[in-house]
Amino acid sequence: MSETDNDLRELYQDMILDHGKRPRNFHVIDPADCEAVGHNPLCGDKLVLFLRVGEDGRIADAAFQGTGCAISVASASMMTEMLKGKTAAEAKKLWAYFEAVCKSNATPADMTEGLAEDDIDRLQALSGVRHYPVRVKCATLAWRTLESALDPKAVKKVATE
Amino acid sequence: MAGLELKKDFPVFGQKIHGHPLVYLDSGASAQKPRHVIDALTRFYETDYANIHRGVHDLSMRATDAYDRARGVVQKFIGAAHEDEIIFTRGATESINLVAATWGHENLREGDEIVLTQLEHHANIVPWQMLRAQTGCVLRVVPIQSNGDVLLEDVLAALNAKTKLVSVAHVSNALGTVLPVEEIIKAAHDKGIPVLLDGSQAVSHRSVDVQKLDADFYVFSGHKIYGPTGIGVLYGKRAILRDMPPYQGGGDMIASVTFEETIYQEPPMRFEAGTPPIAQVVGLAAALDYVSSIGMDKIAAHEDALLAYATQVIGEMKGVRLIGTAPRKAGILSFVMDGIHPHDIGTILDSHGIAIRAGHHCAQPAMEALGLAATVRASLGLYNDEADINALAVGLFKVQGIFG
Ligand SMILES: Cc1ncc(COP(=O)(O)O)c(C=O)c1O
């Protein structure tokens, strides 16, 4: 099998295809405490992210709506699963780690400190996009949208271009 | 069906992409360059290059000759009556912007109307919106059918006493629809309305005769017809160009300058301020010489047959839906697949050496009208053959295999 075939299989592994086809938390939360729209003008992908924050300041519920490729939908689906129970700081830490693995497979060990093994596995599953630079934007759309959802001052519309 | 067997003229096909022979189905975005054009550019830079219209020295005269000769090549290629009706621009985009900024600014007032269609490329939408912001003119948009066709009657219905310009694609870049431009022009002229045709996706697929069409403006880009980037053409009827104010100010577009008064050159120089893309103009002429040596009618017949073949092979695949099935089409096969996003299709096809475009093709209003965010677009060039279409079909089966 060629390197290209390997890369392709890594990108479109079962977990991603499954989340891409049957996204979890694919619905509206109404009312939501935070809402943000992400947009990838290059391909027209759009997603809306909804968050509900509990009394304890942790994300109690996360869901999304939108259209996109398998990579962006899977990424959003897995992200919403991971977010439940996390604080904003913990969510940002996951995003920092994910951003790093999308660029290189040599991630500094201290970035994984305090992250759940399960979360690391999921983010690793998506990191196959690093072989496809134009697709990194698809994988990170949901996370960039989250970043703006969590920033009270930001305009709640994220374009990745 | 015998191909034209022209891949050998294009050095790019000498390589493998991810270990596979290159299957290039993205000529609608930009066409590959034949050896003839690459050699013409090299030769020009190596032997004849200098600035034009300025020098008394040998090189400058040679460069000027090559530049001026190119204008005649373009004139003949599109059947213009006069050489001075050919203006060199950076591309179709700049050509349309030039018309909007000069002719449009001079002739449109608040409430005047410009007729476009829903399938226009953003390059034939945004310059008019900018003009609208400046003048208060109105953009009237002709709807498309669900098969991507534009009906003459819908265009006619959009014309009225306030219409000052019809600006439409000759061929749609997103869907391949060939518009009924002859009839549109006749109908518009009956009402005294000039017509601009965006020929970006037409000139490489069809022989175009601007006089027979009676187009008032015709625009295209060099890079989509096997020439260099950075060079485009604006054709305008002599009588219209003569009355148009200049576009940019600078060298080469003036007859004389004092600080009190500047006298502008006649067209085309009036619209070509500054040092133009000289080598690119020479390269464009080489590209037009190349396609002319094959024959536009032969290219059209070949591509039409190949498009018919592709329409059948890809259109009959389970889970594939063709987008844009107008009765008259050229060079472009757009489609979607059940449950699989065009972007994913594009990545998987690329891993098999197949280059297509996935997205909205700079025609978001057309996509929206069809209820789609994106399509896969396979666009043909003269080098494509049945084997390319077969490779695409196999690639799509592999896509379906992965998404199973
Ligand atoms: C129909 C149409 N019009 C205009 C353009 C703009 O051409 P360019 O980007 O070369 O200026 C294109 C290119 O994609 C096109 O397909």
Side-chain angles (χ1 to χ4, degrees):
Chain A
M1 205 161 67
S2 77
E3 200 178 314
T4 320
D5 286 340
N6 276 328
D7 289 349
L8 203 60
R9 240 161 262 250
E10 189 191 345
L11 182 65
Y12 291 109
Q13 55 187 273
D14 289 345
M15 195 198 296
I16 292 174
L17 290 173
D18 179 49
H19 277 268
K21 258 183 257 178
R22 299 186 304 113
R24 323 297 197 266
N25 306 311
F26 192 69
H27 56 79
V28 176
I29 298 176
D30 185 26
D33 297 312
C34 310
E35 257 183 56
V37 180
H39 186 210
N40 192 345
L42 184 71
C43 47
D45 287 359
K46 233 176 234 162
L47 71 84
V48 191
L49 178 67
F50 307 93
L51 299 177
R52 204 162 49 71
V53 183
E55 300 280 299
D56 56 359
R58 289 178 182 273
I59 296 168
D61 199 5
F64 77 107
Q65 287 276 273
T67 57
C69 62
I71 306 300
S72 72
V73 170
S75 176
S77 168
M78 295 200 274
M79 182 187 81
T80 52
E81 281 193 328
M82 281 181 255
L83 288 180
K84 290 180 196 177
K86 300 275 194 309
T87 63
E90 286 166 347
K92 281 181 187 161
K93 203 156 177 230
L94 282 174
W95 166 218
Y97 172 70
F98 184 48
E99 197 174 22
V101 294
C102 283
K103 288 196 187 119
S104 145
N105 52 2
T107 32
D110 61 343
M111 290 203 84
T112 56
E113 218 174 283
L115 301 187
E117 200 126 320
D118 195 33
D119 291 344
I120 292 176
D121 286 348
R122 284 195 248 220
L123 294 176
Q124 277 292 347
L126 272 165
S127 70
V129 290
R130 67 173 168 267
H131 303 297
Y132 302 88
V134 290
R135 304 303 303 277
V136 169
K137 291 192 179 84
C138 309
T140 56
L141 178 62
W143 290 91
R144 287 160 177 277
T145 311
L146 172 71
E147 206 173 22
S148 97
L150 293 176
D151 179 355
K153 294 184 299 293
V155 181
K156 297 266 186 264
K157 180 156 178 175
V158 180
T160 60
E161 285 285 285
Chain B
M1 184 203 322
L4 293 177
E5 315 227 330
L6 292 171
K7 284 201 172 112
K8 60 179 178 358
D9 293 351
F10 292 76
V12 73
F13 292 110
Q15 68 184 311
K16 298 225 155 153
I17 303 285
H18 303 308
H20 299 270
L22 168 62
V23 174
Y24 192 74
L25 291 168
D26 198 20
S27 299
S30 202
Q32 294 298 337
K33 314 307 169 200
R35 169 71 66 203
H36 184 75
V37 168
I38 299 166
D39 285 350
L41 286 168
T42 306
R43 204 176 329 108
F44 181 69
Y45 276 129
E46 285 183 352
T47 61
D48 298 332
Y49 181 76
N51 210 330
I52 55 165
H53 298 151
R54 295 166 161 71
V56 291
H57 58 79
D58 191 46
L59 282 183
S60 177
M61 286 186 281
R62 270 192 254 160
T64 303
D65 284 349
Y67 186 86
D68 291 345
R69 172 193 167 270
R71 208 184 297 278
V73 172
V74 176
Q75 177 211 343
K76 287 188 192 73
F77 186 74
I78 60 168
H82 310 285
E83 227 174 84
D84 55 42
E85 296 178 317
I86 305 300
I87 297 162
F88 289 125
T89 64
R90 278 193 300 132
T93 300
E94 188 176 48
S95 297
I96 298 173
N97 276 279
L98 191 161
V99 175
T102 62
W103 185 90
H105 204 262
E106 188 91 343
N107 289 286
L108 278 115
R109 298 283 165 270
E110 193 171 342
D112 287 346
E113 298 189 0
I114 300 173
V115 170
L116 313 172
T117 79
Q118 221 166 10
L119 54 60
E120 300 310 319
H121 187 281
H122 296 165
N124 193 28
I125 300 174
V126 184
W128 306 118
Q129 291 175 326
M130 291 163 64
L131 183 66
R132 176 175 66 186
Q134 290 168 357
T135 63
C137 70
V138 173
L139 306 188
R140 193 168 284 279
V141 181
V142 177
I144 54 173
Q145 302 296 299
S146 57
N147 69 354
D149 208 3
V150 173
L151 301 183
L152 180 62
E153 64 207 60
D154 290 339
V155 180
L156 297 187
L159 305 180
N160 62 43
K162 288 187 172 155
T163 313
K164 286 283 163 13
L165 177 71
V166 175
S167 185
V168 295
H170 190 169
V171 174
S172 152
N173 70 305
L175 306 168
T177 311
V178 179
L179 277 74
V181 290
E182 296 86 353
E183 295 86 345
I184 290 173
I185 290 173
K186 266 196 201 82
H189 284 179
D190 281 347
K191 295 182 153 59
I193 305 162
V195 178
L196 182 153
L197 292 186
D198 174 359
S200 304
Q201 297 291 343
V203 284
S204 62
H205 300 303
R206 293 271 176 282
S207 101
V208 168
D209 186 318
V210 291
Q211 283 191 83
K212 245 186 238 151
L213 284 169
D214 203 17
D216 299 279
F217 295 108
Y218 198 95
V219 309
F220 65 95
S221 289
H223 68 94
K224 292 187 205 275
I225 187 161
Y226 313 101
T229 53
I231 179 65
V233 169
L234 165 62
Y235 159 83
K237 280 183 184 165
R238 187 184 253 178
I240 300 177
L241 292 181
R242 282 204 168 150
D243 284 342
M244 269 163 52
Y247 176 46
Q248 296 175 327
D252 263 4
M253 53 78 74
I254 47 81
S256 79
V257 177
T258 65
F259 276 104
E260 288 69 43
E261 188 188 29
T262 288
I263 302 186
Y264 302 124
Q265 286 263 33
E266 290 296 308
M269 300 305 295
R270 188 187 300 163
F271 305 103
E272 294 178 9
T275 300
I278 306 166
Q280 288 77 356
V281 165
V282 172
L284 172 61
L288 299 184
D289 287 340
Y290 173 75
V291 292
S292 299
S293 75
I294 299 159
M296 283 315 299
D297 291 338
K298 210 163 143 192
I299 292 169
H302 165 66
E303 290 178 351
D304 286 352
L306 196 56
L307 183 62
Y309 178 71
T311 303
Q312 190 191 351
V313 171
I314 308 299
E316 281 175 0
M317 284 184 69
K318 234 178 123 215
V320 172
R321 181 160 65 95
L322 298 182
I323 304 298
T325 50
R328 289 206 302 157
K329 285 188 61 180
I332 281 162
L333 192 75
S334 246
F335 58 90
V336 292
M337 293 174 89
D338 289 345
I340 315 176
H341 192 279
H343 242 184
D344 296 311
I345 299 168
T347 294
I348 296 168
L349 290 179
D350 176 60
S351 74
H352 294 96
I354 304 166
I356 53 86
R357 181 151 173 203
H360 54 59
H361 320 298
C362 296
Q364 280 181 338
M367 293 286 124
E368 199 156 308
L370 299 172
L372 297 165
T375 71
V376 177
R377 181 184 75 177
S379 52
L380 305 180
L382 50 76
Y383 30 62
N384 290 120
D385 52 25
E386 267 182 41
D388 293 334
I389 303 304
N390 295 341
L392 174 63
V394 171
L396 294 178
F397 280 124
K398 294 201 168 149
V399 170
Q400 289 176 328
I402 287 178
F403 277 79

